[in-house]
Amino acid sequence: AALAARADCENAAPRRVAVLNCEDAVKWADHVDVLRCAYGSPGDAWTEYRCYDGEFPSDGDLDALDAVVCPGSRHSANDDALPWVAGLLDALRRAAARTDVRLLGICFGHQAVARALGGAVGANPGGGFRYGAEAVACRGWAGGTLVLLESHGECVTALPAGAACLGSSPGAAHEIIAVGDGVLTLQAHQEFTPALMNARVWPAVAPRLADADAARRAVAAADVDNAAARREIRAFLAGAAPAAGA
């Protein structure tokens, strides 16, 4: 029955999706297109809010949406010196409170959603930077272990009240989080291919890696499970419960 429900969601009507874009680097001018290609379906309408410019959806905007996506960013979800972080956290809380809007967080967005809902974000265990493909042990999500791309200096260190941890990795104990049926967040970058990650992310983080060249080669050779993760995310955005079909 759960698999049938998931199939119904995957064949649902086109969705109205808002991206809370927190990445202002010029090289990511196509950020929304990357997300749409990974998580979108034919006919979906995607709208961008440039949070770094103070753009956020109003309650009226949320009335017209089916889903909100908060993706990755080079910034820290803990950086209250950024003038737009408070507005972002407010927008995430308002989206999470809706029963008619799905909220998806990725990497920075995963951390921002956790913080907005009362969880905590801090440095990675051991203080190092994680860059590479890691095995994510899923619990009640995607049916097993997935190899996914990671790039983060911080992680969720405490869950929000009422949240369930659906997956853990060597670099993030709370790798996948769900809050009820309407909120799903992941630390990993299943929207990136290894080639894209090495081309755009690696140059920026290489100085923070112990062996940057080895890390780049490992990512290039990684056999990642993007297709499985993307399938679960598309079903969630279309209305499936995060753990359906597990």
Side-chain angles (χ1 to χ4, degrees):
L3 291 176
R6 171 147 303 181
D8 288 342
C9 289
E10 290 174 341
N11 295 320
R15 296 160 294 185
R16 301 158 297 176
V17 183
V19 175
L20 304 187
N21 194 358
C22 301
E23 181 50 75
D24 52 354
V26 173
K27 65 182 176 182
W28 289 108
D30 62 348
H31 204 176
V32 175
D33 291 333
V34 172
L35 296 164
R36 184 190 296 114
C37 287
Y39 307 133
S41 298
D44 287 353
W46 288 62
T47 301
E48 178 185 16
Y49 291 86
R50 296 181 177 88
C51 296
Y52 52 82
D53 282 337
E55 298 178 1
F56 306 102
S58 66
D59 289 339
D61 293 335
L62 291 174
D63 288 339
L65 293 172
D66 298 303
V68 172
V69 178
C70 185
S73 170
R74 63 192 174 92
H75 299 291
S76 169
N78 279 334
D79 191 354
D80 291 326
L82 293 171
W84 47 269
V85 164
L88 172 67
L89 298 179
D90 173 71
L92 293 172
R93 281 189 286 266
R94 289 187 289 110
R98 308 282 297 236
T99 59
D100 55 344
V101 174
R102 291 301 170 104
L103 175 59
L104 173 69
I106 303 294
C107 195
F108 167 91
H110 163 77
Q111 298 168 14
V113 170
R115 186 183 176 207
L117 300 184
V121 175
N124 291 337
F129 193 92
R130 309 293 297 199
Y131 182 87
E134 295 189 359
V136 178
C138 301
R139 299 186 291 275
W141 193 83
T145 297
L146 301 180
V147 176
L148 299 173
L149 295 172
E150 306 277 358
S151 178
H152 59 94
E154 295 178 315
C155 63
V156 174
T157 56
L159 293 173
C165 180
L166 302 186
S168 300
S169 69
H174 308 305
E175 173 76 36
I176 305 173
I177 297 171
V179 183
D181 288 343
V183 178
L184 175 67
T185 70
L186 301 92
Q187 181 61 62
H189 281 291
Q190 49 285 318
E191 74 276 16
F192 293 168
T193 63
L196 180 63
M197 182 133 140
N198 272 342
R200 298 217 188 151
V201 180
W202 180 84
V205 304
R208 304 176 68 179
L209 305 176
D211 190 335
D213 286 337
R216 177 178 52 80
R217 290 193 299 270
V219 165
D223 183 12
V224 295
D225 295 312
N226 282 352
R230 292 176 182 184
R231 183 169 58 248
E232 295 289 329
I233 290 170
R234 284 193 295 268
F236 166 74
L237 292 176

